[in-house]
Amino acid sequence: PQLALAGCSLNSCSRAPMLAGSPRPFPSQRYLPHSLPSPPPPSVPPPVSASRRDFLQTASALAAAGFLPRSLPALPSISSVVSPEFRARPCVVASANGLRGVKVAYDRITAGEDPLDAIIAGVNIQELDPEDQSVGLGGLPNAEGVVTLDASCMHGPTRRAGAVACIEDIATPSLVAKAVMDYTDHVLLVGPQARRFAIEMGFTPQNLLTEKSRQDWLRWRARLNPNDMYLDYDGNVKIKFHTGTINMNAVTSSGDIASVTTTSGMAWKVPGRVGDSPIIGAGQYCDNTVGAAGSTGRGEANIKACGAFLAVEFMRQGLGPEEALLRVMQRVIAMTEDRLLGPNGRPRFDLQFYALTKDGRFAGATAYEGASFAVCDEQGPRLVKCAYLFKESERPK
Ligand code: SD4
C-alpha cells in the first residue's frame, strides 16, 4: 500500500490512517493473562531451596547492615494481577513533566482512541515545548553542542515495540519510534540512519538547539577547564546533568495498555551515548496482561537492572505497583558500582520509576523522598508523591 506520508503529523500517527485506503484498526479484544499454575494455599509455605535460603540470609544481612531500609515481605507466589472480578479503570501515569500530557492522553483514551496514540500525543507536548530542556526541541545537547534524542514505545494489544536512539533534527522521536514499530520489521534504529528513515517517513528535519540551550552549553563548556582557551563564565550556572525526560503509560477501559519514553538524554554526554529511554525493558515496558512501567533519571543505572521489565515482572508475580517499583529501586542500588554509592550505601544519583496495572492501580517510586509523578484518572490530572526508600538527609554529600 502507498504511504500517506503527511499522515505522520504530530498529533496522530496510528498505522491505520497512514495506509491510504486500507484502514486496519488495532484489535480491541481483551487479552487474557498467561495461564500459570495456581499459587499454593497460604497455609502451605513453599519449600525453601538452598539457594533461596542463601538469598534470604544475604537479604537479612544487608538489612542488618542498614542497606535495606524498608523491610519488604517475601514475594508472593506467581499469579496474575487480573482477577475474575476484573473491572477496567482507565488511567494515565507519567513523570511529573507530563502533567499537561496525562490530561490530553486520558481524554483521548476515554474517547476511544488507541492508548499508544493517546500517550504519544501526550508526550508530544513536551517534545515540542522549547522550554522543556530534557526532550525534543530545546533539549540540552551533547558535549559537542549537538542535540541527539532517544525514544521507545510499546503497544500492548499487538505486543509490538519500536525505538530510535541518537537521532538528530527530528523533534518528535516518540513518533519516529512508533513509525519504526509500524513500518519496519525492526525494533530499534539509530543515528543518521534513524534520521534518514524519519525523513523518508515524512518527518521534517529542523534545528533542535534553541538559543537558551546553546547558551547553557557554552557556559558549561567555558567552565570545564580553567586552563583552556575559553574564558570562564563566573555567573551562577545552575545546569543539572539530568534534567527530565518524559515517560507516559496508559490503560484503557478495555484493559489495553501502552507505554512511551522520550528524552534528549543526559546533558553534555559523550557523543554517541545512548541512555535507557530507547532500551525496551529499561526506559519503558508494557505487557498487556499485566501492566506497564517506565523511568526517568540516570539511565546508566537503570539499564543494568532492566528496570521497566523488572517492574512488570514483579507485578506479574502479584506485587502492587508501589512495592514492585521499590523493589526495582533496591535492585538498581544492588547493581550500582561503588563509585556511585556513598559510604552509607545510598546512591549518588536520581532515578524515578512509574507504573500502572491492567486494573488501573498506579505508583511512582524513587530512591529519595520528595519527587512527584503525574496521573490522570476519573479524578482529573494531578501530581502525586512518589514512594521512596530514603530520606533526603541520607543522600551522600
Ligand atoms: C537517560 N533517562 O538518557 C535519561 C535521562 C533522564 O532525567 O531521564 N534524565 O539516561
Side-chain angles (χ1 to χ4, degrees), residues 159-203:
R159 302 180 300 280
R160 294 179 302 145
V164 287
C166 218
I167 187 171
E168 294 177 29
D169 299 339
I170 308 291
T172 53
S174 61
L175 279 170
V176 187
K178 185 173 186 299
V180 171
M181 180 184 92
D182 282 340
Y183 293 104
T184 78
D185 188 33
H186 309 309
V187 167
L188 173 59
L189 296 182
V190 304
Q193 287 84 2
R195 177 184 185 276
R196 198 164 71 203
F197 166 80
I199 291 168
E200 284 168 7
M201 295 302 295
F203 290 82

Side-chain angles (χ1 to χ4, degrees), residues 80-142:
S80 168
V81 296
V82 182
S83 69
E85 308 84 55
F86 172 70
R87 296 281 178 282
R89 190 172 153 270
C91 140
V92 182
V93 167
S95 43
N97 56 349
L99 188 58
R100 290 181 293 174
V102 290
K103 169 85 170 80
V104 167
Y106 183 77
D107 288 348
R108 287 177 177 238
I109 57 171
T110 48
E113 193 170 314
D114 177 81
L116 184 53
D117 284 334
I119 55 176
I120 287 182
V123 300
N124 285 162
I125 296 172
Q126 295 315 116
E127 287 177 324
L128 295 171
D129 181 351
E131 294 304 314
D132 187 332
Q133 292 180 285
S134 70
V135 273
L137 176 65
L140 291 171
N142 68 16

Side-chain angles (χ1 to χ4, degrees), residues 6-239:
C8 231
S9 69
L10 299 175
N11 291 331
S12 170
C13 193
S14 69
R15 180 173 190 153
M18 292 181 70
L19 289 170
S22 60
R24 288 210 337 222
F26 288 113
S28 62
Q29 82 214 60
R30 169 113 26 100
Y31 284 78
L32 296 173
H34 297 312
S35 103
L36 293 166
S38 331
S43 56
V44 184
V48 179
S49 67
S51 58
R52 182 165 159 74
R53 197 176 305 119
D54 288 349
F55 167 77
L56 292 173
Q57 277 167 359
T58 311
S60 47
L62 280 173
F67 286 102
L68 296 179
R70 288 177 57 146
S71 87
L72 298 171
L75 277 180
S77 302
I78 291 186
S79 65
S80 168
V81 296
V82 182
S83 69
E85 308 84 55
F86 172 70
R87 296 281 178 282
R89 190 172 153 270
C91 140
V92 182
V93 167
S95 43
N97 56 349
L99 188 58
R100 290 181 293 174
V102 290
K103 169 85 170 80
V104 167
Y106 183 77
D107 288 348
R108 287 177 177 238
I109 57 171
T110 48
E113 193 170 314
D114 177 81
L116 184 53
D117 284 334
I119 55 176
I120 287 182
V123 300
N124 285 162
I125 296 172
Q126 295 315 116
E127 287 177 324
L128 295 171
D129 181 351
E131 294 304 314
D132 187 332
Q133 292 180 285
S134 70
V135 273
L137 176 65
L140 291 171
N142 68 16
E144 291 175 353
V146 178
V147 180
T148 65
L149 306 177
D150 301 332
S152 65
C153 64
M154 284 187 83
H155 186 248
T158 54
R159 302 180 300 280
R160 294 179 302 145
V164 287
C166 218
I167 187 171
E168 294 177 29
D169 299 339
I170 308 291
T172 53
S174 61
L175 279 170
V176 187
K178 185 173 186 299
V180 171
M181 180 184 92
D182 282 340
Y183 293 104
T184 78
D185 188 33
H186 309 309
V187 167
L188 173 59
L189 296 182
V190 304
Q193 287 84 2
R195 177 184 185 276
R196 198 164 71 203
F197 166 80
I199 291 168
E200 284 168 7
M201 295 302 295
F203 290 82
T204 306
Q206 68 183 103
N207 176 19
L208 302 178
L209 186 64
T210 56
E211 186 53 22
K212 184 176 175 195
S213 288
R214 195 177 74 86
Q215 290 295 331
D216 285 345
W217 170 66
L218 288 174
R219 289 198 289 266
W220 168 78
R221 193 180 61 174
R223 291 162 61 103
L224 265 188
N225 178 353
N227 302 318
D228 65 17
M229 298 299 170
Y230 296 104
L231 299 179
D232 276 7
Y233 174 86
D234 49 10
N236 185 11
V237 186
K238 282 193 180 148
I239 304 166

Side-chain angles (χ1 to χ4, degrees), residues 134 150 241-245 263-266 273-277 295-300 352:
S134 70
D150 301 332
F241 275 72
H242 306 277
T243 52
T245 300
T263 188
S264 53
M266 195 183 275
R273 180 266 186 188
V274 166
D276 58 336
S277 306
S295 77
T296 61
R298 185 179 163 82
E300 280 77 359
Q352 294 81 31

Side-chain angles (χ1 to χ4, degrees), residues 304-305 310 314 326-336:
K304 290 183 294 170
L310 188 59
F314 281 150
L326 288 172
R327 281 180 186 273
V328 170
M329 206 56 235
Q330 288 181 336
R331 179 73 64 85
V332 166
I333 295 166
M335 290 294 293
T336 295

